[in-house]
Amino acid sequence: MLAHAYNLLHNKGELLILNQGEEEYDIQKKMNEKLGVKSNYLGEIEDDLNIFGNKRFCSKIIKN
């Protein structure tokens, strides 16, 4: 699904991904690396609407 979403992006398009918890964030990093996509890892973000209690982590994929 990640590869499909990436392929739908226009050139220079960006995809913002939010992950719940560090484990999910680490898995996201591995998937991005496996697909060979350019990614910026923004780390933990504040989430005032966090109703689940898990930390949120953000990454941004940029299509070249």
Side-chain angles (χ1 to χ4, degrees):
M1 186 180 341
L2 179 60
H4 180 67
Y6 179 79
N7 288 329
L8 291 173
L9 290 174
H10 290 287
N11 191 30
K12 305 283 184 187
E14 298 179 354
L15 177 65
L16 190 65
I17 300 173
L18 295 176
N19 298 109
Q20 292 189 77
E22 289 186 71
E23 182 178 353
E24 187 175 295
Y25 187 54
D26 290 338
I27 292 169
Q28 183 69 55
K29 289 177 184 179
K30 290 175 185 172
M31 289 187 340
N32 294 353
E33 290 172 13
K34 183 176 181 180
L35 289 173
V37 297
K38 180 180 175 187
S39 306
N40 291 336
Y41 299 103
L42 307 173
E44 186 176 352
I45 61 166
E46 289 187 30
D47 185 357
D48 294 336
L49 301 175
N50 186 352
I51 61 174
F52 300 108
N54 296 330
K55 292 181 180 181
R56 300 286 192 254
F57 295 84
C58 184
S59 56
K60 180 169 57 170
I61 293 175
I62 304 165
K63 188 166 187 179
N64 293 332

